[in-house]
Amino acid sequence: MLSTVQNPRFLLRQCRHFPPKRRRFHSSTPLFLSQPQTLASTDPPSSPPQSQILTIRDNLINRRTTAVELAQLSLNRLRLTEPQINSFISVSETVLREAEEIDAKIARNEELGPLAGVFVGVKDNICTADMPSTGGSRILENYRPPFDATAVKRVKDCGGIVVGKTNLDEFGMGSTTEGSAFQVTANPWDVSRVPGGSSGGSAAAVSARQCVVSLGSDTGGSVRQPASFCGVVGLKPTYGRVSRFGLMAYASSLDVIGCFGSSVADTGILLHAIAGYDGLDSTSSKHEVPNYTSQFMSISSLESKPLKGLRVGLIRETLDDGVDKAVVSSIVGAASHLEELGCTVTEVSLPSFSLGLPAYYILASSESSSNLSRYDGVRYGSQVGADRLNSLYGDSRAKGFGPEVKMRILTGTYALSAGYYDAYYKRAQQVRTLVQKSFKAALNENDILISPAAPSPAYSIGEKKNDPLAMYAGDIMTVNVNLAGLPALVLPCGFVEGGPAGLPVGLQMIGAAFDEEKLLKVGHIFEQMLKGYKFIPPLLADGIASLGIGFIKSCESIF
Amino acid sequence: MASILFRGVQARPFLLYPSALFGRKSGVLYCTIKGTQTHTAAPENKQPQLKVSPQTKAKVLDKISQDYEAIIGIETHVQLSTLTKAFCSCPYNYGSQPNTCICPICMGLPGTLPVLNSKVIEFAVKVGLALNSKLSLNSKFDRKQYFYPDLPKGYQISQFDIPIASGGYVDLDLPVEFGGGHRRFGITRVHMEEDAGKLLHSGNGSYSQEITFSLYSVDLNRAGVPLLEIVSEPDMRSGIEASEYAAELQRLVRYLGVSNGNMQEGSLRCDVNVSVRPIGQLEFGTKVEIKNLNSFSAMNRAIDFEISRQVSLHSQGQSDQIVQETRLWEEGGQKTVTMRKKEGLSDYRYFPEPDLPEVILTEDYVGSIRSSLPELPELKRRRYEKMGLSMQDVLFLANDVNVAGFFDATIGKGADVKLAANWIMGDIAAYMKNEKLSINEIKLTPQELAELIASIKGGTISGKIGKEILFELIAKGGTVKGLIEEKDLVQASYFTLFTYCYFKCIYIEQNLY
């Protein structure tokens, strides 16, 4: 299985198999192509990413390997890659014991959960009872919640092994993971670049195969943008699809727990494990959970035009001037790939699209200014000694929070203040209604909408650190989806120049509320029919080589 | 004591692992803060001195106060007696050990979310209907934001612009000894919210002093307990009107069974706003808020004190000394003292609570609750009045829902209305008072009281014997008939006595011959 260790440069060439010809868009206005691609590929196709979860399950059930062996393997890889990637804030100490339990179950011929033996990374703003949960903040350094978040509980109930807590921008506020109080995570595709954020740790961990799947949270794109940057699949479910209980609130009306995987199938299997109503979250939906795992058919069973009749809308506003030209090319290529699969791709316009970003920052900051009030140092978390009550609050929060968090708290406090409420918060809510309406209209005409997941590929660490507005602008592709509460899937669709092996570009597919099933189906077919796409970052290829032949062999049987 | 965890601010901050505490049912969590109250103002050194000697003061005030009018509005917090708290499944029992009725949700731990207890809505609707208010079929919760150690989340879940009920009124009758009379006071709004915890301060910390370092502990047992805030229109004009308004609310919530209405336990808390203006003036004077009113009589006295304080300041041309502030009623000194001065309007930055869905009431739901409402105090009083009872009797009987129920049941068994009222208000009430029992705890049943009244009225027993039996019935129970037979207490009539003697005589005679 050479593809595992093949040179990503090779992939870079392979991805250019999209025909350069004019798209067959059904829009009256022709799509403007800023940089027509002139690439024709003669590279042999390589196999598309397979579900690691299903492979692990198959290997465990057929006793080709044991959960402990797998766990040791994964831990070794984690140890090997972690010094460069820094995706984990804490790593579980009970991994091997949990693996032993799974082996014992197998020995007793007991039924295995759908995630048995699967290494799951959990973003550190999602509570776990057996590990610290810091939210990436000093103010919760070493804080240990007394309970598991509902999503974590469900993962564990399905047999998943939580391998550790992944790095993030403090409380999810940021788009680079540089905002963590503890460490900066590197992008496995180019360690001098950011993995995106705020779920950068979760995305990088899956990308570097430190874990099989991971949980992130998405308030304004925090799952989708890092998925794009790290070349993995990221799913932001419909608001209310997954319980938020145990997720440290950033902006309650926008927050949703999302999934990362190296394939669409893995992402869907993880979603299936965590989705559904939860009595502990009044905003979780009682909408029925379909079987998200049923549509992952093998490539051989697919027809030549498996997506025939699917109406796809390409959001015109997402290909505007501010978007990296190479990214636009990749998305246009993806659109033509969808057409080849039988879809009808048309351009759609969301007139309120550009309003989403400022509205999002008002609403998210306002809610965060309230949600973060509880971090006062009185009951838990870091506390700064003080004689006066006001100093206790002021000093604890001044020392505990990082600059980005403080900025958003201040922004939100201002927006909610008497006399400003109507001009900011209320107006932003009105924009939100507009955004929801325009999505609804677009999704009446189309089955799914597509856009880039981010206006650029991963940028360098430090590049936007002192330019928050530039960083905020990077969320333009994703925030509208949160305002509308819709599900969106991001999956790798192309490469652009940059880094040692090129940088991945993610395609965002947006569906109607609670239509994750369709997104996963389309995403799976898109991915499986995308010949020559096996996104393994260069770092991992080196890592596996240094582990020796034996390791590669055991990997081959699994990954 | 291993189960007590002290957390000193000045000590090195150490980690609190709440999980360890939840494992121990008896575990006590003290979060202590060494600090001072920040909501304090400068010490009361500028308290204006009245230039009138105490002897003449009352007389003068009486005269002056005729030229002034007091405006009183009351905010009442009613603690709802739901089995569990408003947003989590913790039970709340008054007087529990500190921090034993808490969970991650009411502690406001990161990641926790509120889930509304539907009983809170039911109770709020009941109260709204009972206060003749207009219910909002679509209302919502909002966050009221401020920092205080007893507020775990840094915000209180409350209702801001759309309360569950608004408008309305409450009818009441003033006690006869205070001149009597019927009153109707307007209700502005009723809204749902959660209670905060308690700051227990040991040492010499006091609310009214700025720089006092003392050791505070936070008890979060009460955090998250459901409250209804009932805001009145500024319709009251005197202490007695205000305290009777509060008493009527207490009756109402007890009749409805939504709260125990106990002022000492803080289940019914009244914050009173008092202002004074010269009669004829249209705009209100500066209002002063009075807190710490633990009984109706304290309320009455505190308000009357505050009115006379303000009136005398007015009359001395020192009305600028009346500032918007919160004053505390000091039971010991029988006076109000400054607790904190309002420094501008606090901005609570209300916004809709995103963690909770809107509160939507259907007409059917409201209808079913309306039909389940018991007879309310006002209706009861009017009914008793029509029965021919005096206002004093009416007020006594309708005051306590259980007494009223007992009375209703007794007359339901056919007892004479006036006699039943007299027995209940007389000997039965005296017994309950002496033994500190409620009417539900005595052994006497309405059935037997009716029987007793009938027996006396029918002449089977005398009133004196009736009283004897009554105490037996109250203390030990049993039936009137059973007791009469057991004690052979049938009142001897002349006829029975005569026949008895007659036959006895014949018998004797027969024996003689």
Side-chain angles (χ1 to χ4, degrees), chain B residues 256-277:
Chain B
L256 293 169
V258 300
S259 170
N260 67 23
N262 193 324
M263 283 184 108
Q264 271 76 41
E265 292 179 7
S267 306
L268 186 84
R269 307 195 281 270
C270 293
D271 299 338
V272 180
N273 285 298
V274 181
S275 69
V276 156
R277 66 180 173 191

Side-chain angles (χ1 to χ4, degrees), chain B residues 153-459:
Chain B
K153 299 189 292 297
Y155 56 83
Q156 179 193 30
I157 301 178
S158 180
Q159 293 193 293
F160 178 50
D161 49 348
I162 313 173
I164 189 151
S166 50
Y169 56 86
V170 60
D171 284 305
L172 56 92
D173 294 280
L174 293 181
V176 182
E177 59 270 31
F178 288 94
H182 185 264
R183 294 283 189 281
R184 173 173 285 188
F185 298 128
I187 299 290
T188 312
R189 58 183 277 159
V190 180
H191 73 248
M192 302 175 279
E193 61 184 29
E194 59 174 343
D195 211 341
K198 268 183 197 161
L199 213 55
L200 314 168
H201 43 116
S202 49
N204 56 353
S206 147
Y207 283 113
S208 54
Q209 282 168 315
E210 164 85 346
I211 301 172
T212 305
F213 299 108
S214 66
L215 198 67
Y216 289 97
S217 325
V218 183
D219 172 12
L220 292 179
N221 279 351
R222 209 179 62 179
V225 171
L227 296 179
L228 285 186
E229 183 174 320
I230 303 171
V231 183
S232 82
E233 291 288 313
D235 288 351
M236 283 68 82
R237 295 289 174 269
S238 65
I240 187 66
E241 285 190 353
S243 62
E244 279 305 311
Y245 162 82
E248 182 66 12
L249 286 188
Q250 185 190 57
R251 272 190 284 278
L252 208 70
V253 297
R254 287 181 175 172
Y255 267 62
L256 293 169
V258 300
S259 170
N260 67 23
N262 193 324
M263 283 184 108
Q264 271 76 41
E265 292 179 7
S267 306
L268 186 84
R269 307 195 281 270
C270 293
D271 299 338
V272 180
N273 285 298
V274 181
S275 69
V276 156
R277 66 180 173 191
I279 285 178
Q281 182 182 308
L282 279 180
E283 62 268 27
F284 293 135
T286 308
K287 71 174 179 191
V288 169
E289 189 182 14
I290 314 174
K291 279 183 185 282
N292 198 29
L293 303 169
N294 292 324
S295 68
F296 299 130
S297 108
M299 217 168 139
N300 189 354
R301 281 174 282 130
I303 291 168
D304 285 344
F305 172 87
E306 185 59 25
I307 292 172
S308 61
R309 186 184 74 89
Q310 292 186 21
V311 163
S312 66
L313 285 170
H314 265 292
S315 64
Q316 289 167 49
Q318 293 181 320
S319 54
D320 58 328
Q321 302 270 11
I322 305 170
V323 293
Q324 201 172 345
E325 60 176 343
T326 301
R327 296 177 74 86
L328 279 187
W329 172 245
E330 277 190 5
E331 196 65 55
Q334 292 287 300
K335 59 174 186 177
T336 63
V337 294
T338 297
M339 173 184 164
R340 57 171 181 245
K341 299 216 156 92
K342 289 244 160 95
E343 288 157 3
L345 257 171
S346 2
D347 185 353
Y348 291 118
R349 305 193 313 281
Y350 281 100
F351 79 104
E353 166 60 279
D355 287 333
L356 290 168
E358 284 184 4
V359 178
I360 295 165
L361 307 176
T362 62
E363 293 285 359
D364 285 355
Y365 177 76
V366 174
S368 72
I369 290 182
R370 195 192 300 273
S371 59
S372 75
L373 288 183
E375 186 183 32
L376 294 169
E378 172 65 9
L379 277 176
K380 217 166 238 298
R381 285 192 297 261
R382 299 285 80 83
R383 183 162 61 83
Y384 289 173
E385 211 178 9
K386 275 187 195 144
M387 287 174 175
L389 292 172
S390 74
M391 184 46 73
Q392 196 140 16
D393 294 359
V394 167
L395 291 180
F396 183 96
L397 291 169
N399 183 50
D400 182 319
V401 62
N402 295 322
V403 171
F406 194 94
F407 173 70
D408 284 339
T410 309
I411 58 173
K413 298 285 173 196
D416 178 86
V417 170
K418 187 65 195 164
L419 288 177
N422 285 346
W423 279 104
I424 291 171
M425 293 190 302
D427 292 314
I428 297 175
Y431 181 87
M432 293 187 323
K433 200 175 175 190
N434 282 339
E435 304 292 318
K436 294 197 172 72
L437 291 173
S438 79
I439 202 152
N440 292 344
E441 288 164 325
I442 61 172
K443 298 270 166 48
L444 176 71
T445 63
Q447 165 82 48
E448 292 312 312
L449 180 60
E451 185 79 23
L452 185 72
I453 291 168
S455 303
I456 297 167
K457 209 177 174 187

Side-chain angles (χ1 to χ4, degrees), chain A residues 142-143 146 244 246-247 252 279 282 370-371 373-375 377-381 383 385-388 393 413 417-418 421, chain B residues 7 9-10 13 15-16 19 34-36 107-111 114-115 143 145 147-149 152-153 155 347 351-352 355:
Chain A
N142 294 320
Y143 167 74
R244 290 187 294 122
L247 168 67
S252 311
S282 341
S370 172
N371 283 327
S373 300
R374 67 185 64 197
Y375 306 114
V378 173
R379 283 149 291 121
Y380 48 79
Q383 187 181 68
D387 294 338
R388 304 273 303 273
Y393 279 115
T413 305
S417 296
Y421 182 88
Chain B
R7 182 159 203 236
V9 167
Q10 290 189 320
L15 290 160
L16 174 61
S19 50
K34 199 175 180 193
T36 180
M107 278 181 80
L109 294 191
V115 175
R143 290 185 182 176
Q145 311 188 60
F147 285 107
Y148 208 59
K153 299 189 292 297
Y155 56 83
D347 185 353
F351 79 104
D355 287 333

Side-chain angles (χ1 to χ4, degrees), chain A residues 170-185:
Chain A
E170 189 174 357
F171 291 116
M173 299 179 183
S175 311
T176 62
T177 315
E178 295 166 285
S180 165
F182 306 109
Q183 63 206 39
V184 174
T185 299

Side-chain angles (χ1 to χ4, degrees), chain A residues 57-110:
Chain A
R57 191 176 174 76
D58 183 53
N59 282 322
L60 286 179
I61 287 176
N62 293 314
R63 318 221 169 164
R64 280 193 285 272
T65 183
T66 64
V68 170
E69 267 176 35
L70 276 175
Q72 272 163 346
L73 213 103
S74 298
L75 278 179
N76 281 342
R77 184 164 24 203
L78 199 154
R79 284 193 198 109
L80 192 85
T81 47
E82 188 56 12
Q84 289 180 79
I85 307 288
N86 285 317
S87 45
F88 284 89
I89 292 179
S90 43
V91 175
S92 169
E93 287 164 359
T94 58
V95 168
L96 287 175
R97 202 163 64 228
E98 287 169 55
E100 279 166 16
E101 280 168 28
I102 289 165
D103 284 336
K105 267 191 166 182
I106 296 169
R108 292 193 301 265
N109 282 322
E110 281 177 33

Side-chain angles (χ1 to χ4, degrees), chain A residues 139-140 143 372-383 392-393 397, chain B residues 5 7 14-18 21 29-33 99 102-110 112 147-155 218-220 223:
Chain A
I139 209 159
L140 287 182
Y143 167 74
L372 271 58
S373 300
R374 67 185 64 197
Y375 306 114
D376 53 12
V378 173
R379 283 149 291 121
Y380 48 79
S382 336
Q383 187 181 68
L392 168 79
Y393 279 115
R397 287 166 69 83
Chain B
L5 175 59
R7 182 159 203 236
F14 62 93
L15 290 160
L16 174 61
Y17 294 107
L21 286 154
L29 164 65
Y30 280 104
C31 311
T32 53
I33 301 157
N99 296 311
I102 54 169
C103 72
I105 298 170
C106 54
M107 278 181 80
L109 294 191
T112 55
F147 285 107
Y148 208 59
D150 65 4
L151 192 67
K153 299 189 292 297
Y155 56 83
V218 183
D219 172 12
L220 292 179

